[in-house]
Amino acid sequence: NDALSTASKTMAGQQGDVWNGIWMDHFASTAYAAHDADDPAMVLMVCYGNAAKHRGDGDCAMYSPTAFLLHRPRAYVPAQQWCRDGCEGVLTGVGAASCEGTCVSGVGMQTLKENMDNLVLLGRVCNKARTSQLASRCISGAKGYYSFAMGRSIPNTLCAQIEFPTLHAACKR
């Protein structure tokens, strides 16, 4: 709470950046027991429960698959179902759909983070998304991570590794 208070004072107007960092650190460093990580609604409750009060809930949902993937390394496709189950467990209707899309973008982000030179794998993971819109969100999450990590867009030569034309095009956009 002191860190949040200090950040709020020193980073006035940058609350989104503060919450992004808080949630990234939370999911990367909080020790979830394997059985807890397998309960996506419980993990996502930290994002959408009363205590969260809409404090960076989009960033929270985006980083939440990390909790699952830390206990299930490389289980990127099951992580997409984990997102759906968790979001439907804490929200309904449009809220659940928005949460799922953001969470799946986090799966794409984590997939690329762990496989920076293997966009074949990224394409295959994202292509397994439940809908084409979610597949695009998966690619979008990967693109966001690449831009953050490398300071530029994914090169077309890497996008060319993606075997699925729609996702290849989404990568190049």
Side-chain angles (χ1 to χ4, degrees), residues 104-105 126 129 131-143 166-167 170 173:
V104 167
S105 77
C126 293
T131 67
S132 61
Q133 183 179 21
L134 288 171
S136 291
R137 293 291 303 269
C138 181
I139 293 290
S140 178
K143 288 172 59 178
T166 306
L167 298 180
R173 271 186 244 133

Side-chain angles (χ1 to χ4, degrees), residues 47-95:
C47 305
Y48 297 100
N50 291 334
K53 297 179 185 164
H54 302 290
R55 295 182 179 172
D57 51 5
D59 287 328
C60 184
M62 180 177 66
Y63 289 111
S64 67
T66 304
F68 176 80
L69 289 167
L70 284 172
H71 293 282
R72 306 284 181 268
R74 303 181 62 77
Y76 308 117
V77 173
Q80 293 180 53
Q81 183 64 44
W82 182 95
C83 287
R84 180 177 185 173
D85 294 344
C87 291
E88 289 180 350
V90 295
L91 298 167
T92 58
V94 174

